[in-house]
Amino acid sequence: MRNTLDSMLSEFRDEAAITKRVLEKVPTDKLSWKPHPKSMALGQLAIHIATVPGALARITRQDRFDVSQGNFEPPHPKSMSEVHAAFDQSIREVEEYLEGMTEQSAQASWHLMLRDKELSCKPRIGVLRSIMLNHWYHHRGQLSVYLRLLDVPVPAIYGRSADENPFA
């Protein structure tokens, strides 16, 4: 049965369309802007949002991932075309991954490691739900705040925003 995977794939596709609308609002001339010195730059946040799903698809193909081997500093994109290309690639990777996954591999244990120390062990599908999807939504919400602070119209995400009303 692929009910869980088909449901996740459907949700992913819906959320990818929303995310694309938000990314399309990011102004190229503000990619280095930060709302606070400790915050990611707008461009870094945009590329992070663009690449999180594909990165998680690649990481969770294996049974374990050692965080000491990862680079978690998003790059500074030079343009939004770079972000959009990364987003399109990321979406394709996830769709291919979820379409090819079995319920058995979805329920198999996935281990998050720090060298030889296990930090977490969860079913792969749970990792995809929490990091690929929930983490993605978190950063998309963060991006919508960046847009508001830059006085860029915020697109409708779940219903209307102060700038767009899909029900009007």
Side-chain angles (χ1 to χ4, degrees), residues 26-34 41-44 46 76-80 83:
V26 174
T28 296
D29 65 334
K30 301 284 188 202
L31 294 181
S32 61
W33 180 84
K34 291 180 169 190
L42 177 64
Q44 284 181 292
H76 293 271
K78 293 174 184 55
S79 69
M80 280 308 294
V83 173

Side-chain angles (χ1 to χ4, degrees), residues 31-165:
L31 294 181
S32 61
W33 180 84
K34 291 180 169 190
H36 187 276
K38 291 182 180 181
S39 299
M40 280 188 268
L42 177 64
Q44 284 181 292
L45 181 57
I47 197 84
H48 183 61
I49 291 166
T51 60
V52 159
L56 262 292
R58 287 187 302 279
I59 287 170
T60 59
R61 284 184 188 269
Q62 306 302 313
D63 291 332
R64 63 185 58 235
F65 177 70
D66 181 352
V67 294
S68 71
Q69 303 300 308
N71 175 7
F72 301 103
E73 182 71 23
H76 293 271
K78 293 174 184 55
S79 69
M80 280 308 294
S81 61
E82 184 181 335
V83 173
H84 293 301
F87 178 74
D88 292 343
Q89 176 63 32
S90 184
I91 299 309
R92 283 191 301 272
E93 287 180 63
V94 173
E95 287 180 337
E96 177 185 297
Y97 181 49
L98 291 177
E99 286 170 351
M101 186 180 280
T102 65
E103 275 294 325
Q104 183 179 1
S105 65
Q107 297 301 329
S109 293
W110 186 83
H111 307 268
L112 183 64
M113 308 295 292
L114 177 57
R115 295 175 196 75
D116 294 330
K117 180 181 178 190
E118 185 174 84
L119 301 176
S120 174
C121 177
K122 296 180 180 180
R124 184 174 279 110
I125 195 79
V127 173
L128 291 172
R129 161 71 49 213
S130 67
I131 302 176
M132 185 180 77
L133 295 180
N134 296 346
H135 178 81
W136 199 32
Y137 307 153
H138 157 75
H139 284 300
R140 187 179 66 202
Q142 186 181 12
L143 180 58
S144 70
V145 173
Y146 277 39
L147 294 175
R148 176 63 67 222
L149 292 172
L150 287 167
D151 204 26
V152 173
V154 176
I157 294 174
Y158 299 120
R160 65 185 184 89
S161 75
D163 304 300
E164 286 185 8
N165 184 355

